Structure formats: C-alpha cells, structure tokens
C-alpha cells in the first residue's frame, strides 16, 4: 500500500463526510460509521490494513471537527457606502471562488464548514470594498487583522478570487519587502488564484504556453493574467517584449511585487505610460492588497528603509485608478499607521489609514496561537505550554550573547541547539511512521540577525547532521548494546528518552522500542534533511518547497529577519529562537511557530530564551485585550478611528512609540488607557535599595490602615478595608519602585491620574493571600496580622525580577471581584459574556466594567527558591551574585471603566531604553 493510495482513500472519506455533514461536525459514532462504510466500498481499489485505516481515521478526526467563526467588522457609518454584493450575487457564477473552494476541500483537506465560513467572511470583506461595476469612482481603505500564521493569506486569496469574479480588473499584492517572501506569495497565488505556472507565462521565448497547477486543474474556461512571476518581479521591459498592457487583455490582471520603492515607482511609470486615458487616470478598478501593512508606515523615519517613500508610492498608485480599494493585512495591530502620528488629525490624514473598515478575522479552532502556547487570560491554561523548552543566558552567553556583532565567530553549537537538532531528526522518523512521508518538515534556527553568523551556524549544523547521518547509515543495524557505544546514536537515544518519544512513535498502549525505531526508520527519515541559510545572501530559492511538493522538503532553516515576516516555514516542527527584541510587532512576527500542526501538534517544540517567554506572555495578554476591544467597539457602533486611538493608548504602544522616537528624543510621553484594567507590579528591580524601599513603604501603609480606612468582614477576603482616601493610595504609588519595563504600571503617572480624577475619592483595599502555610506577620496599628503569603516562582535576569513568569501577573485571577456583592459579580459576568459568549474564565477586567469603587491589592510574595521541579525543569532562576530576599512586596490596582475611557500620561525614558534595549536588534540584516 503506497502512501499515495492512503492519501487517496483519506480524500475519498473526507469528501464523503463533507457531503453528508455540510453544516455541523458529525459525532464520533457518525464519523466511524461513514468511514467504515466508505472503506468497505473502496476496498477492492484501495485495500488497507487495520493499522493504516486507524491512521487515516486519526488524521480525519482531527480535521473534521475544525470550525471557524465569522469575523468582526468596525465600519464608519458616516462615510457613505452601499452594500452591493448581495444584490449582484444572482448574476455571478463565482467561477474563480468555486474552483478555489474545491481545491481547498479536495487538495488541502478543509472540511466544508470551514470553507463555508471562509465563503461568508470573504463575502463580507468584498462587500466592504467598492463595487467595480458601479459607474461611480471610489477610493476605499480597509484593514484585515488576523493572528500570525493563522491563514490570512488564505483569506486574501479568497478575496482575490471573488474580486475577479465580481469584476475587478487589476489586483496588486504587495508581498513584503524581501524577494523570497514575494516568490513564496507568487507561487501560492499561481496555485490558488491564477491556476498556471507563472515562470513560463512571462518567458519571452514562451516555449511552454500553459501548465495548469492547483486550481487550474478544476477549470480553465476563464483566465487570470499574471504580469509577474516566481522568477521575476515587475519588469516593464518583459511586458513590452510581450506587448502586454492592461488594455491588451480583457480579464483580471494580477501583480505580486515587493514593497520596494524602485519597483513601485517603475510600476507607476509603466502604468502612466501605457494605460492612462486622456484625463490622466486609468479607467479600471484596482484592488491593492498590502500584506504586512504595518511595514508601510508614514513616520518611522528610518532613512534606510525609507517607508515614507514607500507609503507615498502606494498612495500615488491608488490615485492613478478611477476606482481603487486598498486592503491592508496585518497580524500586529500596533502597526505604525496607528502609533506614529502625534495627533488624531495626523492619523486621519494618512491616506492609508483604514478609515472605512477594520475586519478582525477569527482563526479556525485548530490554530495554535500565542494564547495556546503562552497562556491567556488569568487562569486559562496554555494547551501547548509543554512545547516550550527554555534557553538560559548562563549557557548562551558563551556562544551567542545578545549583544554579539557582525564579526562574531562561531566555533561550536550550544548544547541546547544540538539537542533541538537531534529532536528534529527524531521527529522526522515519527512523522514517517504516522504516514506523513511526503509532507514538508522544517526546523527554524533564529539566533542572530547577521548573515555571516547565520552562515557559520549553517556550516556547523551541516557538519554535525552529516556525522549523524553517517553513523546511522553505518551502525543503526547493529544490536542495541553495540549501537549504544556510538556516541551520536547514544545521544539521540538520550534525547528520545528525555522527551518521552516512545509513546509518540508508537501508541500510548504500545510504545515503540528505541532499537526498533533506530534500525527500521531513523536513517531513512534523516537522510533527506538539508541545512540551509535563509537570508539575502543565500538567495530567494533556499526554501524551494514547491520543487519538493511530491516528496516533501526536509530542511533546517538558519536565518534572521528573513524568517520574521510573512515567510511560511512549511511543516515547522522545531523552533530554536534566541533574540532580545522587545518590540511587540517584531516578536509576534518572529513567532513563525504559530499556525497549524496537523497530526503533529504533540510533537512540535520551541527552544526559546527564558526572557522571550516572559515577553511573549505579556504581549499575548495585550493582543487578547485588543481583540475584545474590537467586539466592544462593534457593539458600541464606534469607528476605525476610535480603534486607532485605542491602539495608540494601549501600554503596548509605548515600546513601538519609543522605538520610533529613539533617534530624535530623550523622553516619550503618551496618554495610556488605565480605566477598566487591573494593573500589577510583577516586574521589580533586583537592586537591594529598591527592594528595601518597597518593603518599608508597603509595611508603613498596612500599619496605618486602621486609621485611614474601615475594616470590613468579608467571606472572600480576611483582610479588607473600605473608605480609604485616594491621597493615601496616591502617596503609596509615588514611593513604590518597579522596573522601568513594567510599562503598564508607572507609579508616578498613576498617582498623578488618581490625584486629578474626581471619581477616585474612596478606595477599597485588601491583602491578597495564597497557600503558603508558614504565616507572615504584618503590623496593622495595634494588631499583628498573620497572613498566608502567595508562593511564586521568580526569575532574576538582567537586573529585573519577574514574578510568576509568563503570566505577567502577581495575584491569581479573580482578584478584581473582591469587594463586590453577588449581584454586582453576576452583572459584570453577564456583561462580559455578551462580548465573549464562549468564555470559560471571567477575567479581572470584567469586574472593573461596572459602577464600583477603585481597588488596591497588597501582595506579600514568598519566593519559591526550589531550583527544579520533579522533572528536573528549572522553576525559579536567579542569576549568580544576585541576592533576592525570601519575601517580595507587590501592588495591584483596579480602576473602574465608568463613562468615557480615562488615560494617564505615561512616559518612557529613552536613556534607560537604550541601556537595556539593543538599538539595532530589529534591523534587517
């Protein structure tokens, strides 16, 4: 039984179940009945044994339950726009969309419910664009927000197909700023939009006229003309040789071009010379899709990238057409189009600002995003937290210090990197066992932005993989005692045992023995693996997945910022990431490990710096908050401009703003939204003076509580006071010290805000407690309070104490509901469920959305100094020479969101920023 026949039978069963259950997933019993029935019918053509059939069932069961919700749109109803697609639907055959839908279901294995959702989502977005068949001229501006690696390209490909169906004449895709990404995008659109191999279409010799690929195999009655190819960006000379212009074809034309000022300006000149009418305009309809739209900023002021010039060229391009719709695509809503302007008027004046609509996509249920890996709101567990393998500075400083430069010499690979490579080799064998023989497999190594350093890593990794391959070829067939004497094989066995891969290679009830795996599978799995550098020097074709579509490319990709934006690493199994960027958008874009892991979600691993885990935890919470804001704004009939202002007033915007202002300023000041948030201090300085000061002001405040507030007996908090004057809280915040990178909690700014806000008069105060059995004594007037401290793991790295790791929290979830009546809690929870109906854990911010007193939470944290857990994993990590006391003191404040959102004026000291942050870290190599 060949793998191809297994895949064919899998496709038959998938198609049958899609047709039988188009609107809802079948139950497991219904699925089983249908799968067995189809197997029996096709047994003469596709005979399978029980193990092979079990493998098919396992794969399909994972796919058949996948669903996708519709997205959320914010529009500006003051701008006139008439819905037009529903009225025209009856007159359209949707030829291009229908063949794309068939391709997704039959080739990519999407179930019909997901393609049905994609159909509705793309309808909604296309309807928000201008109507290309109307007599009116228009200039529409919109933005689509989606998660990193979540399928945004599939969404805009669906939009392209429907735009062609509805009459758009020209579609231009701005595919990032690097040629390898442009080629990957062109290749994908060849398969999923035009349906023909573009490299032959623009060959002046034209020896080969038409090779159908992808959707092209489902019909060619209508055509899409491609004026760029996988081997060539826009080139007016080739178009001239072939006598091609917009006027010479009577079908939709697609361009896939880099976001490069020379390319854009050449395209504009060609359009003006060959296509404009007597009035100097092009009487055709344009859809311009700007992938990675946050890379088209107006005010970044980076002379090397010159984004102002790029932005101007995009705007000039749009104005050439009588009808033009601009659709930005991004996963990072902290995009500079929102952040940079110093006033709302400037933001509105940017012609690329999505003034007409913002559409937030919902990823399918099998998407593995930041929340799945790093944790979501409050107590929500991270489903894939076991995929994280921390990299510690104590190891890496000898190999790749964060501050290494271009001339850094790499003599040896770090032990953790060797372990990650070994794990990747083993995973290849397991995926072969699972029947994924022809699927792509990738590993990412991203530790340096410098091409020379990347190439050295590639060479060392290649040398080591070749040694292992040779040992497997020569010695895997020996007996187990004999093969254990070969050092590389013994090392692979140690990694196999450490990561408990026997169950994953076999079954939970029948684990595979190491020697069986070694002797029967491993060499064949490892033999095709290649190590390649992915950077501007290595060329655009270093990841030529398309050329290996039949056999599957197995590659270890070593790169820097070429791996950071838009580039999809197909079948990514292992990531090794050690970078120090603090930029929210940069970190999210570097997260190539987000995405889909069909049939191997239990195998993927991420080796990542302990510091980066911390930051990802923080930005995950920030990104989730913005998703909720879109729903709130939709319900409140607010506009894209309101959302833009909201992004600019999020604490996350401080880093983006600071980064953009570093060349010209000493301080950055921003209004930051503080109402409706629980703000805590999980980031403290390691210096003894700051810690001692915090302990003193904390204890002094508790000691005065009987004189400044009224003690209240409550079931949910043993130590609770009400009626505390805001003056007392203000003074505590002014004196308490946090680390400068605790950006959402700035004591002085919050103290000024409380001083000036008339709604802040009376505060509720309580001392949070945990499960630490040894009590801690706090003097409270004439009484001694014996409290149960909260036991927390800590990290003390680079002068910063981090409490509770990736949660970026001090207390447990639900702290903000302390002090509320049962009726108030129920009201807050019901209000939140109206925004997020499927929520399981109600976050603290929900309890700050009703009329109530502001609340101050006092935390006594017992430091868990146990170094490792039962599995040998590090828990608390404290740098050598740093003295951390047994107890730390922290604060939390909750400010109700009553009426209009209220802001405090936060400030970033750019001198401190430069001391901590590598100025060049986010630059392209």
């Amino acid at each position: 039984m060949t793998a191809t026949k297994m895949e064919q039978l899998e496709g038959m069963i998938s198609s049958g179940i899609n047709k039988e259950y188009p609107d809802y997933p079948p139950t497991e019993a219904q699925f089983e009945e249908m799968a067995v029935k189809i197997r029996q019918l096709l047994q003469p053509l596709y005979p399978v044994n029980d193990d092979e059939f079990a493998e098919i069932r396992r794969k399909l069961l994972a796919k058949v339950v996948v669903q996708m919700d519709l997205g959320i749109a914010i529009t500006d109803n003051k701008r006139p726009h008439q819905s037009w697609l529903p009225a025209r639907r009856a007159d359209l055959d949707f030829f291009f969309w229908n063949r794309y839908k068939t391709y997704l279901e039959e080739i990519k294995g999407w179930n019909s419910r997901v393609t049905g959702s994609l159909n509705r989502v793309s309808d909604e977005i296309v309807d928000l664009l201008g109507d290309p068949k109307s007599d009116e001229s228009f200039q529409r501006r919109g933005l689509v927000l989606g998660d990193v690696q979540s399928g945004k390209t599939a969404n805009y490909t669906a939009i392209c197909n429907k735009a062609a169906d509805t009459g758009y004449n020209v579609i231009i895709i701005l595919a990032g700023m690097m040629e390898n990404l442009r080629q990957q995008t062109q290749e994908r659109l060849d398969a999923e939009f035009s349906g023909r191999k573009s490299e032959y279409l623009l060959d002046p010799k034209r020896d080969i006229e038409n090779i159908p690929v992808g959707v092209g195999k489902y019909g060619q009655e209508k055509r899409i003309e491609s004026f760029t190819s996988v081997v060539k960006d826009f080139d007016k000379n080739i178009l001239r040789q072939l006598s091609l212009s917009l006027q010479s074809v009577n079908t939709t034309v697609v361009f896939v071009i880099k976001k490069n000022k020379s390319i854009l300006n050449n395209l504009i000149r060609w359009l003006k010379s060959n296509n404009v009418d007597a009035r100097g305009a092009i009487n055709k309809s344009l859809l311009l899709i700007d992938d990675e739209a946050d890379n088209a900023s107006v005010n970044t002021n980076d002379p090397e990238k010159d984004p102002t010039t790029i932005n101007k060229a995009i705007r000039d391009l749009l104005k050439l057409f009588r009808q033009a719709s601009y659709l930005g695509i991004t996963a990072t809503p902290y995009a500079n189009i929102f952040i940079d302007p110093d006033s709302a008027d400037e933001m509105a004046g940017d012609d690329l600002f999505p003034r007409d609509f913002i559409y937030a996509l919902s990823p399918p249920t099998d998407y593995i995003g930041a929340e799945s890996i790093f944790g979501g709101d409050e107590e929500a567990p991270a489903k894939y937290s076991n995929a994280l393998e921390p990299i510690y500075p104590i190891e890496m400083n000898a190999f790749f210090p964060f501050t290494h430069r271009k001339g850094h010499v790499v003599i040896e690979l770090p032990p953790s990197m060797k372990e990650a490579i070994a794990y990747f080799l083993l995973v290849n064998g397991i995926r072969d066992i699972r029947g994924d023989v022809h699927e792509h497999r990738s590993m990412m190594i991203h530790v340096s932005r410098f091409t020379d350093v990347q190439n050295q890593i590639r060479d060392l990794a290649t040398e080591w993989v070749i040694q292992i391959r040779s040992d497997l070829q020569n010695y895997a067939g020996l007996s187990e005692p004999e093969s254990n004497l070969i050092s590389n094989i013994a090392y692979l066995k140690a990694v196999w045992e450490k990561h408990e891969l026997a169950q994953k290679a076999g079954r939970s009830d029948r684990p595979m023995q190491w020697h069986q795996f070694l002797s029967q599978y491993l060499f064949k799995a490892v033999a095709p693996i290649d190590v390649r550098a992915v950077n501007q020097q290595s060329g655009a074709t270093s990841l030529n997945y398309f050329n290996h579509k039949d056999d599957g490319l197995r590659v270890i990709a070593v790169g820097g910022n070429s791996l950071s934006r838009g580039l999809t690493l197909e079948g990514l199994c292992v990531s090794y990431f050690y970078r120090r960027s603090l930029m929210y958008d940069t970190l999210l874009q570097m997260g190539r490990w987000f995405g889909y892991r069909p049939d191997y979600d239990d195998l993927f691993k991420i080796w990542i710096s302990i510091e980066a885990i911390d930051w990802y935890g923080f930005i995950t919470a920030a990104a989730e908050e913005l998703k909720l804001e879109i729903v709130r704004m939709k319900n409140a009939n607010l506009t894209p401009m309101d959302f833009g202002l909201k992004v600019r007033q999020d604490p996350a915007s401080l880093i983006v703003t600071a980064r953009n202002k570093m060349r010209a300023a000493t301080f950055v000041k921003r209004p930051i939204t503080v109402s409706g948030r629980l703000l805590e201090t999980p980031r403290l300085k390691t210096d003894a003076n700051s810690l001692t000061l915090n302990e003193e002001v904390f204890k002094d405040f508790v000691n005065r509580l009987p004189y400044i507030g009224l003690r209240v007996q409550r079931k949910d908090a043993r130590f609770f006071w009400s009626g505390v004057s805001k003056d007392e809280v203000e003074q505590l915040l002014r004196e308490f010290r946090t680390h400068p990178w605790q950006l959402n909690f700035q004591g002085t700014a919050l103290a000024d805000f409380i001083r000036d806000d008339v709604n802040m008069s009376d505060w509720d105060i309580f001392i949070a407690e945990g499960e630490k059995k040894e009590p801690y004594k706090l003097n409270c007037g004439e009484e001694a309070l014996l409290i149960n401290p909260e036991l927390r793991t800590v990290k003390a790295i680079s002068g910063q104490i981090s409490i509770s790791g990736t949660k970026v929290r001090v207390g447990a979830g639900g702290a903000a509901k302390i002090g509320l009546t049962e009726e108030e809690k129920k009201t807050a929870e019901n209000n939140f469920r109206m925004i997020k109906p499927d929520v399981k854990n109600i976050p603290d911010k929900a309890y700050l959305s009703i009329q109530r007193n502001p609340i101050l939470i006092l935390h006594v944290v017992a430091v868990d100094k146990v170094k490792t857990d039962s599995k040998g994993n590090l828990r608390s990590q404290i740098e050598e020479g740093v003295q951390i006391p047994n107890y730390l003191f922290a604060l939390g404040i909750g400010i109700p969101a009553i009426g209009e959102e209220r802001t405090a004026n936060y400030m970033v000291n750019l001198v401190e920023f430069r001391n901590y942050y590598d100025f060049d870290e986010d630059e392209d190599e």
Side-chain angles (χ1 to χ4, degrees), residues 202-217:
L202 294 181
D203 184 350
K205 299 177 183 178
R206 303 193 84 141
D207 296 328
I208 304 172
E209 276 294 317
N210 184 18
I211 296 181
V213 293
V215 295
K217 297 177 182 178

Side-chain angles (χ1 to χ4, degrees), residues 239-312:
L239 297 183
R240 185 174 62 248
Q241 289 179 52
L242 298 174
S243 300
L244 290 175
S245 71
L246 299 184
Q247 317 305 329
S248 67
V249 296
N250 57 3
T251 186
T252 301
V253 175
V254 63
F255 300 79
V256 181
I257 66 175
K258 287 192 297 294
K259 201 180 302 183
N260 173 285
K261 62 181 179 180
S262 297
I263 297 289
L264 281 164
N265 287 331
N266 284 338
L267 176 59
I268 290 168
R269 283 192 289 269
W270 176 79
L271 287 168
K272 286 180 177 179
S273 302
N274 296 273
N275 304 282
V276 297
D277 59 21
R279 294 171 296 176
I282 298 174
N283 191 28
K284 289 182 179 292
S285 52
L286 166 69
L287 170 59
L288 192 151
I289 294 178
D290 185 0
D291 200 4
E292 310 295 349
D294 51 305
N295 251 5
S297 169
V298 183
N299 293 319
T300 302
N301 294 328
D302 183 341
E304 294 184 19
K305 291 183 183 175
D306 207 358
T308 304
T309 304
I310 292 173
N311 181 269
K312 181 180 183 300

